[in-house]
Amino acid sequence: MKIISPDTKRINRLPPGQYEVDEIPVLDLGNKPNINKNNFKLELSYNDKKTVLDFNNLTSLPEVDLYCDLHCVTTWSKLGTNWKGVSTKTVYDLLTPISAKFVLAYSYDGYSTNMPIDYFLKEDSIIGYSYEGKDIPYHYGGPVRLLIPSLYYWKSAKWLSKIEFIDEDKRGYWEERGYHDIGDPFLEQRRRL
Ligand SMILES: Nc1nc2c(c(=O)[nH]1)N[C@H]1C(S)=C(S)[C@@H](COP(=O)(O)O)O[C@H]1N2
Ligand SMILES: [Mo]
């Protein structure tokens, strides 16, 4: 299934305060996690419900093609990127029935980031494993990264390790340091006020 991110259909695709780049900058904490397709595991949890997927389990789920723009809070935007992966809804449904209100995503480099469940479950939110027709390069968060095009790019956790579904919001790495709990680029939700 082909998913076109709704924000790519705006007349002005560039959110306020952003400028366009050609190459996607590499931005992360600088820890280099030892993770690849062979040792990859993704844990899903909600209270005491838990499921673990390896790379093959993940890529056996229905595949989606995503076309989206990326907006980093440091003001660069990359327009028109192509990814493949699994819809976040597909993965969420593996734990069904649950009624979580928030998500905290964790990564193999110690990173984490939170968001409301409705952003996590948007049609263009995916768990990605391919970028521009190839495996996601390690420096861009491969083998598997989260992609939440409706929010600033810090919500798109690279080297994804765990998705915790929760009822009460819990802050991730940048959110604990003052960044916004939602982070909609078109509303310029950069820092908490
Ligand atoms: N695991 C992990 N994911 C992360 C980060 C990080 O430090 N660690 N940084 C975030 C930030 S601030 C941005 S802008 C994007 C950058 O992704 P890129 O390096 O592929 O451009 O990853 C996000 N996801
Ligand atoms: Mo960022």
Side-chain angles (χ1 to χ4, degrees):
M1 190 173 53
K2 175 90 189 173
I3 292 163
I4 309 219
S5 189
D7 286 334
T8 67
K9 296 179 187 159
R10 289 174 182 257
I11 292 166
N12 186 358
R13 282 164 72 165
L14 210 54
Q18 298 291 113
Y19 72 97
E20 205 181 332
V21 293
D22 288 331
E23 278 286 306
I24 305 177
V26 174
L27 248 133
D28 56 59
L29 304 175
N31 308 333
K32 299 252 181 286
N34 170 27
I35 191 69
N36 57 57
K37 280 185 192 177
N38 297 322
N39 65 6
F40 172 80
K41 290 228 163 24
L42 175 62
E43 184 181 317
L44 310 170
S45 76
Y46 178 68
N47 298 327
D48 45 13
K49 280 196 187 199
K50 198 174 124 176
T51 301
V52 180
L53 302 177
D54 65 17
F55 192 79
N56 285 333
N57 300 146
L58 181 72
T59 54
S60 303
L61 295 168
E63 183 173 86
V64 297
D65 267 74
L66 170 67
Y67 175 76
C68 69
D69 297 341
L70 311 172
H71 309 295
C72 175
V73 72
T74 62
T75 74
W76 58 261
S77 289
K78 170 66 187 176
L79 304 185
T81 63
N82 295 285
W83 304 83
K84 283 188 213 301
V86 173
S87 167
T88 50
K89 178 74 166 55
T90 301
V91 156
Y92 178 78
D93 285 346
L94 296 175
L95 290 175
T96 293
I98 66 170
S99 57
K101 296 188 179 58
F102 301 93
V103 168
L104 189 55
Y106 296 83
S107 301
Y108 281 101
D109 61 342
Y111 186 78
S112 57
T113 186
N114 59 306
M115 71 203 75
I117 192 78
D118 47 325
Y119 286 90
F120 178 83
L121 291 179
K122 276 191 194 281
E123 198 207 5
D124 58 347
S125 295
I126 71 162
I127 294 164
Y129 49 73
S130 146
Y131 171 65
E132 302 299 351
K134 298 189 186 120
D135 291 351
I136 300 180
Y138 178 81
H139 60 274
Y140 285 156
V144 175
R145 80 175 293 165
L146 192 58
L147 289 154
I148 311 288
S150 56
L151 299 177
Y152 280 120
Y153 207 27
W154 90 78
K155 303 284 179 177
S156 294
K158 298 161 76 162
W159 308 300
L160 187 64
S161 63
K162 181 175 168 187
I163 300 169
E164 196 174 68
F165 296 98
I166 48 184
D167 291 325
E168 305 221 353
D169 207 2
K170 255 200 286 191
R171 288 187 172 133
Y173 184 89
W174 285 120
E175 293 84 7
E176 276 182 344
R177 289 161 177 79
Y179 284 85
H180 206 282
D181 290 319
I182 303 177
D184 181 328
F186 286 91
L187 300 177
E188 277 210 86
Q189 292 172 333
R190 297 175 190 272
R191 301 194 130 253
R192 292 196 300 280
L193 297 176

